[in-house]
Amino acid sequence: MSGAHNTLILDDEHDACGVGAVVDLTGASRRSIVEHGLTALKNLMHRGAVDADGKTGDGAGIHVEISAGFFHPLAARFGRFDAVKHRLAVAMVFLPRKSLDEQESCRTTMESELAGAGLSMLGWRQVPINTAVLGQKAADVRPEIEQLFIAAPLNEPLADCERRLYHVRRRIEKRMLSAGNREFYICSLSARSVIYKGMMLADQLAAFYPDLAAPDFTSRFALFHQRYSTNTFPTWRLAHPFRVIAHNGEINTLKGNVAWMHAHEARLSSPHFSAAVLDDIRPLIQPGNSDSASLDNVLELLTHSGKPLPLAKTLLIPEAWRDDTTMPPALKALYELNNSVIEPWDGPAAVVGYDGTWILAGMDRSGLRPCRYSRTADTLVIGSEAGLVPLPVEGILAQGRLAPGQMLGVNLTENKVYDDAALKDWLCAAQPPQTPQRLRLLPDTALENIPMPLETLRARQIAAGWSMEELELLLHPMAAEGKEAIGSMGDDSPLAVLNSRFKGLHHFMRQNFAQVTNPPLDSIRERRVMSLKTRLGNLQNLLADAANTAPVWEFDTPILLPHELGQLKAALGGDVVTLKATYTPTETPLEKAVDALCLAALSAIEKGARAVLLTDTAEHADTVSMPMLLAVSALNSFLIRKRRRAHAALLVESSEC
C-alpha cells in the first residue's frame, strides 16, 4: 500500500478510536504477530486523546493468545503445573493499590471462588511494569497489576473450561461489588487468551508491560485498540479490548438496550447453564460499564451459550436487510428470525472480536466507521486505517474495506478466511432458515371518521395540553398535506417549567442521544438503513438453540390508527387487558394511582395476559388522565423489576400522542 494512500486516509479520517486485529493464517503462534499488533497500535496513536502532561492517554490495549512458550515456564516455577495433565488458565487482575488489606481480601475472594469451582491455584505473579512511561494522572490512579495462574483439567473440553471460568469470574465480580470494592477488575480470566491494557498512549503499552517485548511471547492473533474516550471518563478498567470485542464507535440505543437485556433475563435458559449459574451471572450487564463494555457483556453471554461469534454479531449488530431486494432469501430469513428475538444495538460501530474459534471484524448497518483489511499468504491485517502494518506489496493477495453491514472472519480451527458472502453462507447453513410466524393487520383503505362534538373535542384537546401553536404549526401540515412540519434542530422554546400555563409531562423531556462526529446521512441512505417497523411478542428465550416459534406481530410504524387498534384487540381477544390510566385527584394522589395501575397490570400478566393496553379515553368530569409518559415509563420499569416485562407487550391509547 502506497504512502500516498496512507496519507490520504490519515488526512480524511481522524475522528474516532483506532481498532483492529492481526491474524496468522497458517495456525502458527508467531512472535511477529505480537510485534505487528504493537506496530499497528503505535500507528493508531493519533486516534487517542492525550492529557496536558503529554504522557497520560485515555487507553490502549492488546488481546493475545496465552503463549505456551512464555507462560508455561512461569507456571512451572510454582512446582505444581504439568503441561501433560493441566491446561493453564491466566487471570489478568487489577487490584486496589493503596490498601494492602483490600488487595489481600481480593486475592482471598478469587482463590475461594476458584477452589469452589474445582480449579487449582498455582500462584500469583506480580506483572513487571515500567511506571516511568506513564503520565502523572495515569500513575496516580494506577492499580496493582497481578496475574493468577490456574491449573484446569486437560481432559475437559476447552469450551466447557471457558464457560466455568466465565461463571466463576461473574461470581467474583458480584462479591466484590456487594462488598463495595469498585477498584478491583479482572481484565481477562481464560485458558485461551490474556489482555494487557491500561490508561496510556499506544506507544507506551509495550514499554509499560515488558512481557510484550519478550522473544518467546507469541500468539496466533492480536486484537488491539487505541481509545478516544467519547462517552465516559478514561479509566484503567474501561480501556479496550474487552473479553470478546474491541469497538470503534458509540451505541446510540444504549439505555434502551440495557433495559431490554434486564427484561430478557427473566426468560433465559440454556443447556450450557443451570438455573443456579444463570442466577450467578445476572445482571448480564455490569454496573458502571461503558457502551462498549455493555455490548461485550452480551456478546460474552451469547458466545458462551454456544452461539458462534458471527451469529452473535448478526443478532446484535445486523445489516440493513428489510428493503434489500438482492439479499438471498435464506439470509433474509435469518435476519427476520434474529429480529424476532432481540433488539439491535444501534451504532455507529466497527467491531473486532475473538471467541476462541473466530476472529471477526464487522460493521454496523450505516457504515459510519472505517474498517480496512490486507491479506498475504500467512497474515491478515484488519484495522481502522490502511497501512497499519508494513507488508510487502508483492505479497498482498487481497485488500479492501468492509462496506456497511459486512463482516470478515477467520476460523482459527480451519485456518480459513471467510469473506462477507462466504461467512453469511456459512451462517445460513449453520442456522437452517426458518421465518418466524409474522402476524399483520389487514389493510383498510377507508379511514375511520370518528364524530365528536366540538365542545367535547375542545375539552379533550385542552386536557391533553394541546395549544393553538401545535394545531397550526404541527398538525395542520400533517392533515392538509401529509407532511411533517419543518423546523430547526435547535429548540428555542421557553422551558416548560417556566410556563404559566399547563404543559404535559412530555414537554419537560428532551431526547437523549449521542452527539458524536458522524457524517450527515443523506435521504437516500437513510431510507436504505432505517425502518419504523415495530413488533410485539418477541421477548422469548434469548439463548435458545431452536428457532423462535412464538408468533410476532409486525407493524409498519409504532403508531396504530383506531381501526388498526380495534383489529389488534380483536385478534388478541382475552390475551389483552385494558387498564384506565385515569384517576380522581380528590380521592387518590397521582403516585398511589400509578402504583395501583402497575399492580393491576402485574396481576393481569400473572393471570396470562400477553398485552396491556393503557387508555386515557375514559375521562369524565371528576377524573383526569395520568401523564401517559409517566404511566408507561413507571409500568415498564416496574415490570422489569418484577421480571415480568418479557411476558407482555405494552400498548397505549392516548390523546397525548
Side-chain angles (χ1 to χ4, degrees):
M1 283 169 244
S2 68
H5 186 201
N6 291 348
T7 302
L8 177 64
I9 296 300
L10 300 186
D11 286 347
D12 287 352
E13 297 180 11
H14 48 74
D15 59 353
C17 317
V19 67
V22 183
V23 192
D24 175 87
L25 303 179
T26 68
S29 180
R30 292 191 276 142
R31 174 63 199 163
S32 60
I33 294 294
V34 179
E35 291 173 346
H36 285 334
L38 295 172
T39 298
L41 255 182
K42 292 177 182 178
N43 288 333
L44 288 171
M45 182 175 166
H46 61 283
R47 287 182 175 264
V50 185
D51 190 72
D53 62 17
K55 296 176 72 176
T56 297
D58 62 350
I62 192 167
H63 187 174
V64 290
E65 192 176 37
I66 291 177
S67 170
F70 179 82
F71 284 102
H72 282 193
L74 294 175
R77 295 178 186 175
F78 297 107
R80 300 188 304 279
F81 178 72
D82 184 350
V84 177
K85 299 178 181 178
H86 300 142
R87 175 181 284 121
L88 178 65
V90 178
M92 186 75 164
V93 185
F94 289 167
L95 298 169
R97 182 162 58 98
K98 296 180 180 178
S99 171
L100 295 178
D101 289 340
E102 281 190 28
Q103 286 181 25
E104 191 55 37
S105 173
C106 292
R107 294 188 193 98
T108 302
T109 299
M110 283 195 70
E111 291 172 3
S112 66
E113 289 293 345
L114 287 161
L119 297 162
S120 301
M121 271 67 63
L122 300 174
W124 289 86
R125 173 192 182 231
Q126 192 162 27
V127 178
I129 56 174
N130 176 13
T131 58
V133 303
L134 294 180
Q136 188 59 48
K137 289 185 178 179
D140 288 344
V141 295
R142 173 181 64 83
E144 191 69 27
I145 305 171
E146 297 187 8
Q147 288 172 342
L148 175 59
F149 287 66
I150 303 154
L154 193 59
N155 59 358
E156 181 182 35
L158 181 55
D160 291 344
C161 177
E162 289 295 308
R163 222 170 267 123
R164 182 149 53 136
L165 292 169
Y166 166 63
H167 172 214
V168 74
R169 195 198 84 223
R170 292 295 293 121
R171 284 182 58 90
I172 294 167
E173 288 167 342
K174 288 181 74 172
R175 281 186 59 178
M176 293 298 182
L177 192 63
S178 64
N181 190 336
R182 297 183 178 275
E183 294 183 48
F184 172 86
Y185 179 74
I186 300 176
C187 300
S188 57
L189 174 53
S190 171
R192 297 185 299 217
S193 60
V194 62
I195 296 170
Y196 286 77
K197 67 179 185 179
M199 204 171 108
M200 61 198 69
L201 301 178
D203 64 346
Q204 296 171 342
L205 185 69
F208 182 76
Y209 289 113
D211 284 1
L212 297 173
D216 51 357
F217 195 104
T218 63
S219 180
R220 287 189 296 169
F221 68 89
L223 266 63
F224 51 86
H225 188 278
Q226 166 66 68
R227 176 171 181 251
Y228 178 75
S229 182
T230 54
N231 62 347
T232 57
F233 288 109
T235 64
W236 281 75
R237 67 190 298 272
L238 290 182
H240 300 218
F242 295 106
R243 289 105 186 187
V244 177
I245 62 158
H247 168 217
N248 173 9
E250 299 79 31
I251 302 300
N252 288 334
T253 54
L254 180 64
K255 284 192 174 182
N257 290 131
V258 172
W260 281 122
M261 286 310 302
H262 288 321
H264 279 293
E265 287 180 5
R267 286 195 160 179
L268 291 182
S269 65
S270 169
H272 298 291
F273 298 115
S274 67
V277 170
L278 287 172
D279 282 339
D280 285 337
I281 64 179
R282 294 186 182 100
L284 303 178
I285 296 176
Q286 297 162 260
N289 271 358
S290 65
D291 55 352
S292 303
S294 300
L295 175 61
D296 186 79
N297 284 164
V298 182
L299 281 166
E300 196 176 23
L301 173 73
L302 293 175
T303 54
H304 282 307
S305 70
K307 298 185 188 301
L309 185 56
L311 178 59
K313 187 271 177 191
T314 59
L315 270 165
L316 297 182
I317 312 176
E319 65 179 313
W321 55 273
R322 287 192 184 275
D323 299 321
D324 189 339
T325 56
T326 64
M327 182 176 288
L331 181 58
K332 183 166 279 195
L334 175 63
Y335 280 121
E336 285 193 26
L337 181 63
N338 291 349
N339 188 246
S340 72
V341 173
I342 191 170
E343 307 71 28
W345 288 58
D346 194 29
V351 296
V352 293
Y354 166 72
D355 70 348
T357 301
W358 289 92
I359 297 287
L360 183 77
M363 298 283 285
D364 76 317
R365 59 187 170 84
S366 301
L368 299 181
R369 290 293 181 266
C371 189
R372 294 171 173 79
Y373 63 89
S374 298
R375 175 188 171 191
T376 65
D378 61 0
T379 305
L380 175 67
V381 179
I382 309 167
S384 298
E385 299 175 9
L388 291 177
V389 176
L391 299 174
V393 175
E394 64 275 8
I396 295 177
L397 303 178
Q399 60 183 348
R401 61 181 288 273
L402 294 185
Q406 288 191 341
M407 296 185 291
L408 179 65
V410 180
N411 188 304
L412 298 175
T413 304
E414 303 172 348
N415 298 318
K416 180 179 177 181
V417 179
Y418 286 77
D419 63 15
D420 182 66
L423 193 50
K424 288 168 181 173
D425 287 344
W426 178 88
L427 276 173
C428 292
Q431 184 99 352
Q434 298 183 47
T435 303
Q437 183 184 355
R438 289 187 299 167
L439 306 175
R440 295 184 62 84
L441 299 174
L442 297 175
D444 190 342
T445 55
L447 294 180
E448 186 177 356
N449 183 17
I450 305 175
M452 186 177 291
L454 185 60
E455 200 173 300
T456 304
L457 175 63
R458 187 66 179 143
R460 293 285 301 278
Q461 289 173 341
I462 293 172
W466 289 21
S467 66
M468 288 300 296
E469 181 183 39
E470 289 167 333
L471 288 170
E472 291 177 358
L473 298 182
L474 299 180
L475 293 176
H476 184 269
M478 293 182 186
E481 305 174 49
K483 295 180 179 179
E484 222 177 326
I486 297 176
S488 66
M489 185 175 178
D491 185 357
D492 58 357
S493 58
L495 296 176
V497 70
L498 300 178
N499 203 306
S500 59
R501 300 193 176 197
F502 167 73
K503 287 286 184 179
L505 183 64
H506 52 278
H507 284 282
F508 292 78
M509 304 297 153
R510 288 292 181 270
Q511 184 181 8
N512 187 4
F513 67 102
Q515 298 186 35
V516 293
T517 50
N518 295 329
L521 275 181
D522 57 84
S523 59
I524 297 174
R525 185 192 290 191
E526 186 175 32
R527 195 178 305 117
R528 286 184 58 84
V529 301
M530 296 185 182
S531 171
L532 291 177
K533 285 188 182 292
T534 304
R535 66 224 190 280
L536 298 178
N538 61 307
L539 295 179
Q540 304 301 311
N541 176 21
L542 183 59
L543 306 182
D545 291 329
N548 175 32
T549 56
V552 176
W553 280 95
E554 187 175 275
F555 313 113
D556 291 330
T557 78
I559 299 172
L560 300 180
L561 296 175
H563 71 274
E564 293 173 323
L565 179 60
Q567 272 191 54
L568 182 61
K569 289 168 66 175
L572 290 172
D575 287 338
V576 61
V577 60
T578 300
L579 300 178
K580 296 178 181 178
T582 59
Y583 70 109
T584 306
T586 55
E587 298 176 1
T588 309
L590 175 59
E591 183 178 356
K592 289 188 176 181
V594 172
D595 289 342
L597 180 72
C598 292
L599 291 172
L602 177 64
S603 174
I605 291 169
E606 290 181 339
K607 292 176 182 176
R610 289 174 46 219
V612 175
L613 172 64
L614 302 183
T615 179
D616 62 12
T617 58
E619 246 179 320
H620 299 291
D622 57 341
T623 65
V624 296
S625 301
M626 299 176 187
M628 190 56 79
L629 186 63
L630 175 65
V632 173
S633 60
L635 179 56
N636 182 67
S637 299
F638 176 78
L639 294 178
I640 289 175
R641 290 195 302 272
K642 295 297 183 180
R643 300 179 67 179
R644 287 294 180 271
R645 182 62 182 89
H647 292 70
L650 299 186
L651 305 168
V652 171
E653 185 180 27
S654 173
S655 303
E656 289 188 12
C657 295

